[in-house]
Amino acid sequence: MLFQIIATLIWASAFIAAKYTYEMMDPVLMVQCRFFIASIIMLPGFFAAYKRVPKERLKIMWLLALINFPLMFLLQFIGLYFTSAASAVTMLGMIPLLTVLIGFLFFKRRINKIDLLLSLVALAGIILTVVGGGEDNLINPWGCLLVLGSAVSFCFCLYLSKDVMQEMAPKDYTNVLVILGSILCLPFTCVLVRDWSIVPSVKGMISLFYLGIGCTWLAVVLWFKGVQKTPTYISSILTTLEPIFGVILAILILDERLSTVSAMGILLTLGAAAVSVLIPVLMKKSP
């Protein structure tokens, strides 16, 4: 469980590191450089891992790489460029509820009244977060919408990747996904980068390598290492820590200030997400 908590903390800090990286390069270029750094680490094991992908799963692996990396990460970090780290990470707090809603709408999964109610509460929280705007007007509706779009992409991947992950080792799956995602991101980078100039800084370079090594590679390794020894219900609870850690780090490190309305919205959103994860866990454990 300790490995998963560390991984969650690293992922939560990604938005903080990205804010420092934006000071020296375009956000789209930052995403591509992040993937490039991670790919260098994973490349030695890629070809062997790719050969172990079942032939009938190759097309879905390319699709998952496209949705997971160019689509999800570009939406996430372009959105972050326009809004505050605290509001962006709050949008990711919607993932547990979005997973339920997308399962109901697109994958014929059942949805209960409690999940529907919590979804409405979380939506109200997002509206309050955006309307509140933060003390320095740092919360941008467009930026929040883009980050929310990245969360939707992630949820689709959860369903689409289910069968593939049952047939592949986690290490192979991650390795193939990162390398393919890096390749597929190149055309988007060529089209979407607005400024190709890089103004190197110590803080920016450290943040970039932290994103590439820590957030893209190390955190994944730690998470799967923890998953092997941690009950599934504990893992699901730990996922709700990421937005909480992210908001705390944004306030402590970036000195972001939240208005009362935005703070209430964040609490509502994260609270609804946490309850949506805890209810099924408690129901399973009850006699």
Side-chain angles (χ1 to χ4, degrees), residues 177-238:
L177 210 64
V178 170
I179 301 296
L180 295 185
S182 301
I183 296 170
L184 291 171
C185 193
L186 284 168
F188 292 89
T189 300
C190 294
V191 173
L192 296 176
V193 170
R194 296 177 300 173
D195 183 2
W196 288 90
S197 63
I198 299 176
V199 184
S201 67
V202 174
K203 188 185 295 185
M205 293 301 295
I206 291 174
S207 298
L208 178 61
F209 278 91
Y210 176 75
L211 286 168
I213 299 173
C215 300
T216 311
W217 173 72
L218 179 60
V220 174
V221 172
L222 291 173
W223 179 263
F224 281 122
K225 189 171 183 178
V227 165
Q228 294 174 351
K229 299 179 180 179
T230 305
T232 304
Y233 75 91
I234 294 293
S235 296
S236 64
I237 293 174
L238 292 176

Side-chain angles (χ1 to χ4, degrees), residues 11 18 23 34 65 73 76 80 96 99 105 110 126 141 158 168 182-183 214 219 243 259 281:
W11 280 326
E23 296 175 4
R34 170 184 177 173
F73 276 90
Q76 189 174 115
L80 174 65
T99 302
L105 294 172
R110 295 180 60 186
I126 288 176
L158 289 178
M168 292 183 65
S182 301
I183 296 170
S259 68
V281 171

Side-chain angles (χ1 to χ4, degrees), residues 18-25 81 199-201 203-204:
K19 284 291 187 182
Y20 289 129
T21 310
Y22 292 162
E23 296 175 4
M24 72 174 192
M25 66 172 62
Y81 181 79
V199 184
S201 67
K203 188 185 295 185

Side-chain angles (χ1 to χ4, degrees), residues 63-105:
L63 177 62
L64 287 169
L66 176 67
I67 298 175
N68 257 305
F69 287 87
L71 185 57
M72 185 182 78
F73 276 90
L74 288 176
L75 285 172
Q76 189 174 115
F77 286 96
I78 293 174
L80 174 65
Y81 181 79
F82 292 105
T83 193
S84 69
S87 63
V89 81
T90 300
M91 299 303 108
L92 296 187
M94 277 289 292
I95 286 176
L97 290 168
L98 284 172
T99 302
V100 174
L101 291 174
I102 289 172
F104 172 71
L105 294 172

